[in-house]
Amino acid sequence: MKKLYLLLALAAGFCLYGADIDSRYQVVLADQAIVTEKEAAQTIAADLSVMFGKKIKVIAEKDYKKGTPAVFVGWTKAARQKKIAFEKMPTESWHVESLSGGNVIVTGGRPRGTLYGAYEFLEYAGVRYFFLNDKFIPQKKKISFPAGKKLAGKPYFLRRGIHFGSKTEEAHRFQRWHKMNLDAEPRKPAGLSGFYNERQDGQYNTFFNYAKGFPNGGKPEYFSLHKGKRLKIKSTHGPGQLCLSHPEVRVLVKQQLRAKIAKDKKEAEKNGYPQCKFYLVSICDTDKKCECAGCLALAEKYGAYSGALLDFINDIAREFPQIYIATRAYIFTVNPPKRGIVPEKNVIISLAVNCWDWSKKRDTMSYLSAPTNAYTRKVYDSWKKISKHLDIWDYNILFREKQPTPYTNVHVIRYNMPVFAKMGVKCYFSELEYSSRQNVEMHSFQHLSGYLNMKLQQDPYAEAEKIIADFMTNYFGKAAPVMRQLLDFIIEKQLTNPEPMGEHRMLHWKYTDEKFFSRCVELLLEAEKLVKDDPYRLKHVKREWLPIGGGLCWKWDHLAVKPAIKETEVIARMREAFYTFIKEFSPHAEKAARAKVDAYLRFLSLCPSLPPELMENYLWYNTTSITASRFQSGKILLADAADAPGGKAWVMGKEFKHTGKVEFVYRFKKDPRELLKFTFDSKNIPQDEKFHCIKVGELYPAELDLYANDWGRLFRMPGRQKSRIKKYNYGLYYNIKFTGSAYVKGSKSPDAVAIAQVIYVIQ
């Protein structure tokens, strides 16, 4: 009889020793499920439907027929029968278990535990969510889940967040999957934040928020006295701060905070989610601290200006012991007080040591143990000694690089995250923007950086190497070994750079030389061949052309030996990769994003060898590059020029009198006044008969006529309306070439002056 039962059970698709989940399974949702548990059930059903090639249904537990194989989701009767006390589970704890009869339960604490359990179950099944609109769901006939197997846990950090630069519904969905709880709620319908987020009132520089609530905008003395003037707060960037010592300011902030807490309590009770625990009271993003006698006396008393801030924050925190008051150690409050004060038990110190790009204090592309991070370690260690609760505001990009650039911080993330955990950090947030207004900023293996960062926010002690290897295998497929070589090669070379990456722009990085780019191109071409028949993995390989290609084309004219690929081929690969990325990252603004990308690639393809002093602080989108083909004709003719950007140049040849000196003059149309005059002669004419980018002055890009010597008007420049451009200071550069003995000593070429480009750069 026992053998017969076993045969019948196996025939029915059950596994007495676990679950072999296949297309016959149903997803059974608890009858009194909350919104996150409903999403958990729907997500499991949707992904299994793709995996098995057959629609998987979600049914209510009251409609479940005993004997049907099922995945039970939420606070179900099946979970109760296992004596799982989910009511007592922490809010983000999950529990996934295979039952002896072949069913599986997915449950957890409320409001997020079950949802996180669903993600754990699907990842166990092989699903990977690599990036926005890039979820990998393998095709399978079944998922084997052994009897008694459990997936249980909770995230390590209490509050977890990462900023990619996107606020779309998909971006929030992606963050939910990776258990981020700072900015993960669905955008619609409204009012769900408390189910998906560990909420915090305020995210950045909240002095501005409180200042807006002051009666009649606040008295002048409520704001910082800086260099003898009271500066009001007009935005999160100041220009002023709050006066930390003024007693009325403290009373007003407490009043607003009390009202916020009361309002949130009502909303939480109405919506059925937990009350907000975190309230941010933090300085504006400006260095204009209050220098009144009271604030300076507090700073002197405690040995640092952060002491004045803590005196202010502690006074507030003591009145609200039931919540956490978070404040930022940032700019002028980054150094901890030396004496006489420590944060209250319910105060969180958010450590935001500015990156090297801005302050030369934290080298974000090196390990915390690096000599260049000695100052940062000292700050962290000093705050750790006096604080019960620490929060890290991390930077995982270089802010000076506003275009695709070949660097990575994968190695830094894997090293630093467990260090933060050992410091006792409770909350963590990272900036890893892919773009700002220009939609072209990214670095090598940035998808992996974000993926690894989020995994280690969940568990900073997880084996980072396993996470990286798993990502590489599933993301790159057969190309994984070669792409791992590329990652390791970039890291190896990056670590040889003699100074912090943020010290200079990429043009000056020592490792980005001929050998570096040649090896990167070699590996990328090899990887492409390995996945040429796998479109999904091929697009991932091609994405890595963006930072490599951006750096390569930017330095193309500076490389003595070029890689085994044409620059036009690199740009073509970049355009394809960019367009794919746009569909993932900003499909809602695809047309505008493509226009920005096209502008960048157009610039890159026409990019001259700019002077080093310009390249250091150069931003491509602050440039107007006008090639010769766009000039309006005058006395000279447009000619083919193979060595000119765009392949064309205005050439002043044998029909002009050449004396070895050319005096250019700019005038408005039909206006005799000289706007700019610049002379080329033996002192500044290049002697190699090649195009050079040379600054000739400062002038805004209006519609102007160019004259030279007694040659008359040469051509008319296209331009913009004065009202749109006069607020900027533009540098004017010529991409110009001189040939012939009149200009170049010993030359046998015909005398000629060729202009290929006029370039305006916002200074």
Side-chain angles (χ1 to χ4, degrees):
M1 189 68 182
K2 183 182 281 189
K3 290 182 179 178
L4 177 61
Y5 174 76
L6 176 60
L7 289 172
L8 289 172
L10 292 174
F14 286 97
C15 177
L16 290 176
Y17 304 101
D20 280 340
I21 304 163
D22 57 25
S23 61
R24 290 171 296 113
Y25 271 64
Q26 293 178 330
V27 176
V28 179
L29 178 62
D31 292 330
Q32 303 300 320
I34 62 174
V35 62
T36 49
E37 292 161 358
K38 292 176 182 178
E39 182 173 340
Q42 292 161 359
T43 303
I44 291 173
D47 287 3
L48 293 187
S49 295
V50 175
M51 186 178 293
F52 298 143
K54 181 181 177 181
K55 186 172 179 59
I56 303 297
K57 294 181 179 179
V58 178
I59 64 168
E61 191 172 25
K62 62 184 176 59
D63 298 324
Y64 172 68
K65 293 181 180 180
K66 191 174 181 180
T68 306
V71 178
F72 291 88
V73 178
W75 289 13
T76 58
K77 294 176 183 177
R80 287 189 187 279
Q81 289 170 2
K82 282 293 294 181
K83 297 183 179 180
I84 298 174
F86 33 65
E87 295 94 341
K88 296 181 180 179
M89 293 178 71
T91 58
E92 296 185 322
S93 294
W94 63 85
H95 185 103
V96 182
E97 185 175 349
S98 173
L99 307 179
S100 58
N103 294 328
V104 174
I105 55 173
V106 178
T107 189
R110 284 184 173 175
R112 291 179 290 281
T114 297
L115 183 61
Y116 291 173
Y119 300 149
E120 288 290 316
F121 169 72
L122 289 169
E123 291 218 350
Y124 173 83
V127 181
R128 297 291 182 271
Y129 208 159
F130 294 123
F131 190 60
L132 279 60
N133 293 297
D134 190 0
K135 182 189 279 189
F136 171 67
I137 304 176
Q139 305 300 298
K140 291 184 177 182
K141 293 184 177 180
K142 66 178 182 179
I143 305 165
S144 295
F145 206 107
K149 181 174 181 60
K150 297 179 183 179
L151 305 173
K154 66 176 182 178
Y156 184 90
F157 293 123
L158 182 61
R159 192 158 40 80
R160 306 168 300 282
I162 190 167
H163 179 52
F164 292 113
S166 175
K167 292 287 187 179
T168 62
E169 189 70 74
E170 171 64 12
H172 288 222
R173 188 180 300 113
F174 177 61
Q175 294 216 27
R176 288 200 293 280
W177 179 283
H178 290 287
K179 307 184 186 69
M180 301 295 101
N181 65 1
L182 188 61
D183 197 15
E185 81 281 4
R187 299 183 71 190
K188 294 180 180 179
L192 298 179
S193 176
F195 291 104
Y196 292 90
N197 291 333
E198 187 66 62
R199 291 178 304 131
Q200 173 178 286
D201 179 79
Q203 191 168 352
Y204 303 110
N205 315 105
T206 59
F207 274 13
F208 172 57
N209 299 341
Y210 287 99
K212 285 193 298 183
F214 290 167
N216 301 315
K219 300 175 183 177
E221 57 267 30
Y222 289 174
F223 302 97
S224 54
L225 178 68
H226 186 77
K227 295 184 178 179
K229 292 183 179 180
R230 291 285 180 178
L231 301 176
K232 283 202 167 187
I233 301 176
K234 299 179 180 180
S235 74
T236 57
H237 292 273
Q241 304 279 4
L242 295 182
C243 176
L244 301 174
S245 60
H246 199 297
E248 291 180 23
V249 172
R250 299 188 180 199
V251 170
L252 290 170
V253 170
K254 289 176 186 178
Q255 288 176 354
Q256 291 186 53
L257 189 54
R258 190 174 294 108
K260 286 173 179 284
I261 295 170
K263 181 181 178 181
D264 179 77
K265 183 179 180 181
K266 289 182 180 179
E267 290 182 358
E269 290 174 351
K270 177 184 176 181
N271 294 319
Y273 52 63
Q275 287 182 240
C276 181
K277 296 179 183 177
F278 301 90
Y279 287 81
L280 183 66
V281 183
S282 183
I283 65 172
C284 292
D285 202 350
T286 174
D287 62 356
K288 295 176 176 60
K289 61 182 180 289
C290 186
E291 298 170 343
C292 75
C295 288
L296 291 181
L298 289 174
E300 176 64 27
K301 177 181 178 181
Y302 300 123
Y305 203 92
S306 59
L309 176 64
L310 265 188
D311 190 273
F312 176 81
I313 295 296
N314 282 351
D315 185 31
I316 297 168
R318 282 190 288 268
E319 195 151 326
F320 304 97
Q322 76 277 23
I323 62 169
Y324 289 106
I325 302 293
T327 194
R328 294 178 72 187
Y330 181 57
I331 310 177
F332 55 85
T333 63
V334 71
N335 292 307
K338 297 178 181 178
R339 55 186 174 267
I341 193 169
V342 298
E344 287 289 328
K345 295 179 180 179
N346 61 326
V347 169
I348 297 176
I349 302 297
S350 178
L351 301 174
V353 181
N354 252 337
C355 50
W356 204 276
D357 311 40
W358 297 332
S359 67
K360 299 188 185 302
K361 289 182 177 178
R362 182 171 174 207
D363 183 1
T364 55
M365 294 301 125
S366 292
Y367 309 117
L368 277 173
S369 59
T372 47
N373 278 319
Y375 172 80
T376 301
R377 289 197 308 276
K378 182 179 179 181
V379 168
Y380 285 178
D381 291 343
S382 299
W383 276 110
K384 178 185 174 183
K385 290 176 182 178
I386 65 172
S387 307
K388 287 183 66 67
H389 309 291
L390 293 179
D391 176 8
I392 292 292
W393 185 296
D394 209 358
Y395 303 99
N396 284 307
I397 57 170
L398 293 173
F399 288 93
R400 293 183 71 187
E401 298 303 327
K402 299 299 184 182
Q403 59 195 44
T405 312
Y407 71 91
T408 185
N409 65 340
V410 170
H411 57 302
V412 176
I413 291 170
R414 69 182 293 177
Y415 176 88
N416 286 355
M417 292 302 281
V419 174
F420 292 142
K422 291 174 184 175
M423 283 171 50
V425 168
K426 300 289 179 64
C427 306
Y428 177 91
F429 174 80
S430 171
E431 290 193 50
L432 191 64
E433 292 94 327
Y434 279 79
S435 67
S436 58
R437 54 187 175 140
Q438 301 305 326
N439 279 316
V440 300
E441 303 165 36
M442 58 188 68
H443 58 256
S444 296
F445 295 94
Q446 191 163 344
H447 284 14
L448 173 57
S449 293
Y451 188 91
L452 178 64
N453 183 282
M454 291 187 291
K455 291 297 183 188
L456 294 180
Q457 285 193 55
Q458 298 171 43
D459 180 5
Y461 296 113
E463 292 187 54
E465 179 54 39
K466 283 188 176 181
I467 297 170
I468 295 170
D470 178 82
F471 179 97
M472 295 298 242
T473 298
N474 288 291
Y475 190 74
F476 292 115
K478 293 180 180 178
V482 175
M483 295 305 288
R484 183 58 190 264
Q485 287 184 56
L486 178 61
L487 171 64
D488 292 343
F489 177 71
I490 293 173
I491 293 172
E492 175 191 345
K493 293 301 179 182
Q494 188 174 312
L495 290 173
T496 66
N497 209 57
E499 56 193 4
M501 306 289 289
E503 180 72 23
H504 292 293
R505 300 292 301 282
M506 189 274 295
L507 184 71
H508 299 279
W509 296 349
K510 299 295 184 183
Y511 71 88
T512 54
D513 57 13
E514 291 90 347
K515 291 182 179 179
F516 173 80
F517 285 113
S518 292
R519 181 57 175 160
C520 290
V521 167
E522 177 187 336
L523 290 170
L524 283 172
L525 292 175
E526 184 181 349
E528 283 185 352
K529 292 178 182 177
L530 291 171
V531 291
K532 67 182 189 306
D533 299 322
D534 184 350
Y536 179 69
R537 273 51 181 259
L538 182 59
K539 77 170 184 177
H540 294 156
V541 170
K542 286 187 174 181
R543 188 215 160 272
E544 293 305 319
W545 276 104
L546 290 174
I548 298 301
L552 173 59
C553 293
W554 190 228
K555 295 190 77 168
W556 192 271
D557 290 335
H558 298 265
L559 301 177
V561 179
K562 307 295 191 285
I565 192 171
K566 294 180 180 178
E567 187 178 18
T568 53
E569 294 175 8
V570 175
I571 291 175
R573 281 173 163 83
M574 291 179 69
R575 176 170 280 105
E576 180 183 354
F578 261 132
Y579 285 179
T580 300
F581 174 75
I582 289 169
K583 287 182 180 293
E584 295 174 347
F585 190 75
S586 50
H588 58 289
E590 185 172 355
K591 184 177 180 181
R594 280 195 176 208
K596 291 173 183 176
V597 162
D598 289 342
Y600 165 67
L601 294 177
R602 189 183 311 115
F603 163 77
L604 205 60
S605 65
L606 301 174
C607 177
S609 180
L610 297 173
E613 70 276 7
L614 176 62
M615 295 286 278
E616 178 61 20
N617 296 300
Y618 182 78
L619 300 175
W620 73 269
Y621 51 79
N622 283 343
T623 297
T624 300
S625 176
I626 306 172
T627 52
S629 58
R630 293 179 59 201
F631 301 164
Q632 297 177 34
S633 61
K635 297 187 83 175
I636 54 178
L637 297 176
L638 188 65
D640 292 331
D643 56 343
K648 299 285 185 179
W650 289 102
V651 179
M652 291 148 274
K654 60 183 179 180
E655 65 273 24
F656 292 89
K657 182 180 179 181
H658 296 277
T659 63
K661 178 180 178 180
V662 181
E663 186 175 77
F664 289 110
V665 176
Y666 273 103
R667 297 189 178 98
F668 280 126
K669 182 172 57 175
K670 298 180 181 179
D671 189 334
R673 290 175 298 171
E674 296 180 352
L675 297 175
L676 176 67
K677 181 186 290 186
F678 187 82
T679 301
F680 284 99
D681 56 25
S682 59
K683 297 178 182 178
N684 58 4
I685 291 176
Q687 296 295 295
D688 57 3
E689 297 187 317
K690 294 181 180 179
F691 279 102
H692 287 267
C693 190
I694 299 173
K695 185 174 183 179
V696 297
E698 295 182 0
L699 192 68
Y700 48 84
E703 190 175 50
L704 301 170
D705 288 333
L706 179 65
Y707 294 81
N709 293 356
D710 57 356
W711 300 345
R713 184 175 73 86
L714 301 179
F715 50 72
R716 177 164 293 157
M717 295 284 299
R720 309 179 197 172
Q721 296 177 358
K722 295 181 193 177
S723 60
R724 294 184 59 194
I725 57 180
K726 290 190 82 173
K727 64 179 179 179
Y728 295 115
N729 182 28
Y730 287 81
L732 176 62
Y733 293 79
Y734 279 180
N735 199 12
I736 192 168
K737 177 174 72 172
F738 295 86
T739 60
S741 58
Y743 304 106
V744 179
K745 189 176 293 186
S747 172
K748 296 181 180 180
S749 301
D751 291 336
V753 179
I755 301 175
Q757 278 176 299
V758 173
I759 303 169
Y760 293 97
V761 181
I762 296 177
Q763 303 290 2

